[in-house]
Amino acid sequence: ELDRILNTNGRVDPFREENGDPVGPARVWLKTQNVPGLAMSRSVGDLVAATVGVIPEPEFFELTLNECDKFLVLASDGVWEFIDNDE
């Protein structure tokens, strides 16, 4: 993911406060501008992020569920901003 972004003239870096201190997760930016600031490398419909290697193709894998599995959660990125793995 990182190589694709960098090879498409993008930049991956966290948001930075005025004093240069990093804040939050790594984000995808245009090389010379602080946009779009997307905190993922795959997204559907973000035309600005697509110019620097953000792609709409999903990453997926298969798992075999068994009787110990109690939940299957399907959610978008916005959900994980408010729920951690322990919840």
Side-chain angles (χ1 to χ4, degrees):
E1 303 290 316
L2 176 62
D3 287 343
R4 184 181 67 250
I5 302 297
L6 297 177
N7 290 331
T8 316
N9 209 28
R11 176 170 51 98
V12 177
D13 198 29
F15 178 80
R16 296 199 177 267
E17 294 182 343
E18 288 183 21
N19 65 4
D21 289 345
V23 177
R27 296 178 176 276
V28 177
W29 309 94
L30 298 182
K31 190 74 152 187
T32 60
Q33 297 177 48
N34 285 340
V35 293
L38 192 63
M40 63 198 78
S41 60
R42 295 175 186 248
S43 177
V44 175
D46 192 322
L47 300 178
V48 174
T51 66
V52 289
V54 173
I55 59 173
E57 289 82 23
E59 179 180 31
F60 64 92
F61 54 93
E62 293 183 27
L63 296 172
T64 301
L65 300 178
N66 62 51
E67 67 257 5
C68 294
D69 296 312
K70 298 183 192 267
F71 301 98
L72 174 63
V73 178
L74 302 175
S76 67
D77 175 68
V79 171
W80 305 121
E81 182 177 346
F82 301 103
I83 299 174
D84 63 36
N85 288 340
D86 293 333
E87 290 182 273

